[in-house]
Amino acid sequence: PQNIGIKGIEVYIPGQAVNQAELEKFDGIPQGKYTIGLGQTNMAFVNDREDIYSISLTVVSKLIKHYNIDTEKIGRLEVGTETLLDKSKSVKSVLMQLFGDNNDIEGIDTVNACYGGTSSVINAINWIESSSWDGRDAIVVAGDIAIYDKGAARPTGGVGAIAMLIGPDAPIVFDSIRGSFMEHAYDFYKPDFTSEYPVVDGHFSLSCYVKAVDHCYQNYSKKYTGDKNKTVGLYDHFDYNAFHVPTCKLVAKSYARLLYNDYKSNPEAFEKLIDSETRKAIDELSYDASLTDKLLEKTFVTLAKAETKKRVDPALRVPTNTGNMYTASAWVSLASLLYYVGSKDLQKKRLGVFSYGSGLASTLLSVTVVSDISDITKVLDFDFKLGNGRKIESPEQYVAAIELREKAHLQKDFKPSGSIENLASGTYYLEEIDDKFRRKYSIK
Ligand code: ACO
């Protein structure tokens, strides 16, 4: 099979969000911390009417509908999520309800923080390249409900899901070289089954992310250049870059961090760009100190500013308006890039995708757009989904929704009471959980 890649994308964004500037006021936080400091504009949220089964059912049913998919022609279906409702039963098995008589579908759920979707994408590519491939397409689903306990991490929540149709002869083709970095770290994890909230060491998780950016770029580069000390060159190699987006600010810093790796690979090229005093200070940093050093960060963020605006900002338009979607985040960032740059300007362009999951697992991969993608951008329809397609609710309503979720957690014999008013047509929602924890849904 040739040109294995993405043939269709559907993104689910909930019917309500809270404005981050309103949240700053409500939380009594200095103005600008969430909006400028973290780079976030609106945060999507759901009440007790939606869960990982419902949002996955919503996004996959819409993918099937909008791309007219013959469900018999799907041979693999995988889900990446870290929003667990069950320690045994998969989300994938729930989604089998959408595939009619087709029960011959490989794939299951993959869990590791925000990385499960990317692992599922890699599995789908590998299956299509393998001797067991039967000619059918794959669907990869990634989605999460990202919510945090009260405190500093709360404004970095969000909700969303993506479903991608993956197969041969695609307009968005996966390049064969990837670079990964995996390591043991307790930066963000969910050891407490009685709560939906993670345990998070916030600032440590940011430096883990930056370290992963370094190693993935170096590992990706060395497979291209054949030299472990030589990077591919950020601007030469990638036309655009999408990232896992915990906050848009971290992404801007991480893009600049790639440029720092280019500097380390070829310092002479930066002689005229960075004064010698700054270079000396940067060169003297230990690796660990370099991960959080403010002078280094500022130097490269400033150097990369214009290119960040051109090559990364379109990938942040959706994330700044939804917040973190965990497993879906890197892929929705790619979808944002596709939508806001548009088919014409993306022809023959290479797009980097950096995926990070705490704990930790990370990969830098790339795709090349080889033909028209306007059918895909039309379905994405982000202007509507982020505009008239949803409602901006008050911080009070956001907190009330989160409280409903807390009450619903781990319940059986339960009827959710949250409003279904904001749900778009075609959205699945929870009707009840019976005495055996079985969940029943309706469609708006
Ligand atoms: N106006 C403008 N900027 C401000 C203001 C203000 N009034 N106040 C603060 N800021 C800036 C700060 O200077 C800082 O920017 P800088 O880092 O560029 O200097 C930024 O706002 C954030 O402020 P901090 O004090 O660093 O924020 P805090 O410690 O409260 O929390 C954090 C931030 C760590 C991201 C927290 O929200 C968190 O733990 N989030 C969840 C963890 C996470 O997402 N980790 C990322 C990888 S793992 C994953 O994806 C889940």
Side-chain angles (χ1 to χ4, degrees):
Q2 297 287 309
N3 285 353
I4 299 166
I6 303 171
K7 300 164 85 165
I9 309 176
E10 181 64 77
V11 171
Y12 174 62
I13 293 169
Q16 60 275 314
V18 60
N19 179 264
Q20 294 276 9
E22 292 294 318
L23 209 54
E24 284 166 354
K25 278 188 234 158
F26 179 80
D27 288 346
I29 292 292
Q31 198 184 344
K33 180 168 177 188
Y34 303 163
T35 48
I36 299 162
L38 301 175
Q40 297 305 115
T41 310
N42 294 299
M43 176 167 61
F45 67 93
V46 294
N47 60 28
D48 60 355
R49 288 296 190 162
E50 294 180 80
D51 58 30
I52 190 58
Y53 296 160
S54 78
I55 66 175
S56 301
L57 285 162
T58 301
V59 77
V60 174
S61 61
K62 289 190 184 220
L63 179 85
I64 291 170
K65 181 170 165 226
H66 290 148
Y67 290 90
N68 249 320
I69 294 171
D70 175 353
T71 51
E72 289 291 337
K73 298 214 165 92
I74 299 300
R76 190 170 191 94
L77 170 66
E78 292 206 36
V79 180
T81 186
E82 57 166 300
T83 306
L84 303 191
L85 283 174
D86 198 298
K87 284 180 276 187
S88 172
K89 187 173 165 58
S90 61
V91 178
K92 190 281 179 74
S93 58
V94 175
L95 293 174
M96 285 308 293
Q97 296 173 94
L98 301 175
F99 288 81
D101 293 336
N102 179 7
N103 50 29
D104 179 19
I105 306 183
E106 291 185 356
I108 210 71
D109 296 6
T110 301
V111 179
N112 185 85
C114 312
Y115 187 77
T118 301
S119 201
S120 302
V121 166
I122 293 171
N123 288 346
I125 300 168
N126 291 349
W127 173 64
I128 296 164
E129 286 179 344
S130 76
S131 62
S132 59
W133 184 54
D134 62 6
R136 294 184 293 169
D137 286 338
I139 292 176
V140 167
V141 187
D144 277 297
I145 299 168
I147 43 177
Y148 292 89
D149 206 349
K150 287 195 187 84
R154 190 161 259 200
T156 63
V159 182
I162 186 165
M164 292 178 276
L165 181 66
I166 294 178
D169 307 317
I172 304 161
V173 177
F174 290 105
D175 297 334
S176 53
I177 284 182
R178 302 188 284 258
S180 291
F181 174 67
M182 310 232 171
E183 183 177 75
H184 169 57
Y186 277 123
D187 61 328
F188 165 112
Y189 45 110
K190 291 179 176 165
D192 180 1
F193 288 87
T194 66
S195 167
E196 261 202 299
Y197 306 137
V199 173
V200 54
D201 187 342
H203 286 273
F204 177 54
S205 76
L206 300 178
S207 67
C208 287
Y209 181 106
V210 174
K211 186 176 175 189
V213 166
D214 286 346
H215 286 277
C216 285
Y217 185 45
Q218 288 158 14
N219 289 336
Y220 176 99
S221 287
K222 85 173 172 218
K223 294 177 194 172
Y224 267 100
T225 62
D227 177 345
K228 71 178 181 23
N229 297 315
K230 205 162 164 16
T231 60
V232 287
L234 178 59
Y235 301 149
D236 289 342
H237 188 79
F238 298 106
D239 296 289
Y240 296 92
N241 288 79
F243 288 81
H244 168 57
V245 193
T247 75
C248 295
K249 184 76 164 285
L250 177 63
V251 169
K253 290 177 183 178
S254 299
Y255 184 66
R257 183 79 186 183
L258 295 174
L259 199 62
Y260 167 63
N261 279 272
D262 285 352
Y263 165 72
K264 298 246 289 186
S265 161
N266 182 14
E268 295 77 38
F270 290 78
E271 249 164 37
K272 292 205 180 76
L273 300 170
I274 309 170
D275 66 74
S276 57
E277 200 183 318
T278 306
R279 267 187 280 138
K280 187 164 179 290
I282 289 172
D283 292 345
E284 279 169 1
L285 293 168
S286 68
Y287 179 67
D288 280 352
S290 84
L291 292 171
T292 52
D293 186 74
K294 287 289 170 193
L295 174 69
L296 188 163
E297 185 183 285
K298 187 159 173 271
T299 302
F300 287 94
V301 164
T302 307
L303 262 186
K305 198 162 194 155
E307 298 304 322
T308 305
K309 198 168 159 48
K310 261 201 302 224
R311 301 174 190 236
V312 182
D313 276 10
L316 297 177
R317 292 274 293 272
V318 175
T320 192
N321 279 296
T322 58
N324 199 347
M325 299 180 181
Y326 290 165
T327 52
S329 178
W331 297 98
V332 171
S333 178
L334 173 66
S336 179
L337 200 52
L338 300 176
Y339 183 82
Y340 287 107
V341 177
S343 183
K344 197 164 141 275
D345 289 344
L346 285 171
Q347 294 310 309
K348 310 284 176 279
K349 297 288 194 288
R350 181 184 279 138
L351 286 43
V353 181
F354 172 72
S355 174
Y356 175 84
S358 291
L360 68 81
S362 59
T363 295
L364 173 64
L365 53 80
S366 53
V367 298
T368 303
V369 179
V370 300
S371 57
D372 183 64
I373 56 159
S374 41
D375 288 349
I376 293 176
T377 54
K378 204 164 121 205
V379 170
L380 288 174
D381 202 12
F382 286 133
D383 279 336
F384 177 76
K385 286 179 186 162
L386 298 172
N388 291 337
R390 70 175 182 178
K391 206 168 154 197
I392 302 298
E393 298 273 29
S394 67
E396 286 82 1
Q397 282 161 317
Y398 163 70
V399 170
I402 296 294
E403 281 169 6
L404 284 180
R405 295 197 64 78
E406 284 180 3
K407 287 200 187 103
H409 191 61
L410 299 183
Q411 293 301 310
K412 60 179 173 176
D413 244 332
F414 178 80
K415 276 201 177 10
S417 58
S419 167
I420 57 166
E421 198 189 313
N422 296 338
L423 301 182
S425 137
T427 305
Y428 284 70
Y429 63 92
L430 183 66
E431 283 282 10
E432 65 162 332
I433 306 169
D434 74 10
D435 61 344
K436 288 200 166 99
F437 291 98
R438 292 172 302 196
R439 289 167 180 254
K440 287 203 183 62
Y441 298 91
S442 292
I443 305 172
K444 178 85 181 280

